[in-house]
């Protein structure tokens, strides 16, 4: 978020870690957007959007977090989610270098996409890129096992053939079960 300036007035009293600069006990003003401030994500996104427009990208009419531009005979894409970015372009390394050197963005996780927004990215034997929420599913299974002492039953998705959830006559959850259910849903 440090690429954007905060819109909030935030001050703090400098602690002992600021003593080497002679600032311990001084009131300092936060100028840069930081994690935890209400407007930081919005401000970072506005700054990044301005840069993308300057670089010739336009947001998709269907999904404003997908940006695109024509580059010769192909389209290049950038997908954003808060401050997470995934790119599909002819020369992504050159574009990332430009973001760092020209616009002073501090980037991490550059290179071929391996993990993004809770999903692992892999290639089929024929080279087709696909994603799978393997780590996320493992985390959910671990939470389920911690709550119930065993792994959940495996089910087909979205539903097994012939399933009729409208006919479910299971007992309603009690307060303890509701709490566990909400814990599982909260981790989605």
């Amino acid at each position: 978020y440090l690429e954007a300036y905060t819109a909030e007035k935030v001050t703090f009293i400098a602690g002992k870690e600021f003593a080497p600069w002679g600032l311990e006990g001084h009131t300092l003003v936060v100028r840069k957007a930081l994690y935890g401030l209400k407007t930081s994500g919005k401000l970072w996104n506005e700054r990044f959007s301005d840069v993308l427009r300057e670089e010739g990208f336009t947001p998709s009419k269907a999904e404003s977090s997908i940006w695109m531009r024509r580059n010769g005979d192909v389209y290049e894409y950038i997908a954003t989610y808060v401050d997470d970015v995934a790119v599909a372009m002819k020369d992504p390394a050159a574009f990332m270098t430009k973001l760092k050197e020209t616009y002073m963005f501090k980037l991490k996780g550059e290179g071929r996409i391996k993990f993004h927004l809770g999903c692992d990215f892999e290639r089929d034997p024929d080279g087709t890129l696909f994603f799978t929420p393997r780590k996320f599913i493992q985390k959910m299974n671990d939470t389920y096992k911690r709550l119930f002492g065993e792994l959940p039953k495996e089910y087909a998705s979205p539903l097994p053939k012939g399933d009729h959830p409208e006919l479910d006559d299971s007992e309603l959850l009690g307060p303890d079960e509701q709490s566990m259910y909400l814990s599982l849903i909260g981790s989605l």
Side-chain angles (χ1 to χ4, degrees):
Y1 286 160
L2 295 175
E3 290 80 9
Y5 288 92
T6 183
E8 300 167 73
K9 180 77 171 181
V10 180
T11 61
F12 67 98
I13 306 297
K16 61 185 175 192
E17 60 275 7
F18 290 88
W21 299 280
L23 297 173
E24 183 177 1
H26 285 75
T27 300
L28 301 178
V29 177
V30 175
R31 293 180 43 225
K32 297 285 189 131
L34 301 171
Y35 283 100
L37 298 180
K38 289 181 180 181
T39 60
S40 293
K42 176 182 178 275
L43 292 168
W44 186 92
N45 194 279
E46 286 174 1
R47 163 108 167 87
F48 195 67
S49 296
D50 289 343
V51 167
L52 292 178
R53 281 186 196 91
E54 192 173 317
E55 289 298 318
F57 286 88
T58 56
S60 164
K61 291 178 182 176
E63 174 53 65
S64 62
S65 63
I66 305 291
W67 294 77
M68 57 194 156
R69 74 175 176 190
R70 191 157 186 76
N71 184 358
D73 59 342
V74 299
Y75 276 94
E76 297 182 320
Y77 298 92
I78 296 182
T80 63
Y81 182 78
V82 187
D83 65 344
D84 289 320
V85 177
V87 301
M89 54 182 46
K90 280 186 173 181
D91 191 355
F95 187 75
M96 293 299 150
T97 298
K98 190 168 198 176
L99 287 176
K100 290 187 291 191
E101 294 178 1
T102 304
Y103 300 104
M104 305 313 209
F105 280 93
K106 291 160 186 65
L107 305 174
K108 61 180 182 179
E110 294 176 63
R112 289 187 177 268
I113 192 166
K114 294 176 186 157
F115 188 79
H116 185 67
L117 299 180
C119 288
D120 298 289
F121 283 75
E122 300 172 8
R123 292 203 178 266
D124 280 337
D126 68 357
T128 302
L129 183 67
F130 71 94
F131 66 93
T132 174
R134 185 175 291 119
K135 289 179 186 167
F136 180 74
I137 291 169
Q138 183 60 50
K139 179 182 170 191
M140 290 290 295
N141 279 340
D142 292 346
T143 301
Y144 190 95
K145 187 171 183 179
R146 182 176 45 80
L147 290 172
F148 301 107
E150 62 185 6
L151 290 173
K153 296 175 189 164
E154 289 191 21
Y155 289 95
S157 178
L159 293 172
K161 189 174 184 173
D163 189 55
H164 293 281
E166 70 277 7
L167 301 177
D168 184 3
D169 60 357
S170 301
E171 292 288 320
L172 295 176
L173 300 177
D176 290 341
E177 291 87 4
Q178 286 178 13
S179 177
M180 285 189 265
Y181 172 78
L182 292 173
S183 176
L184 287 169
I185 293 300
S187 62
L188 293 174

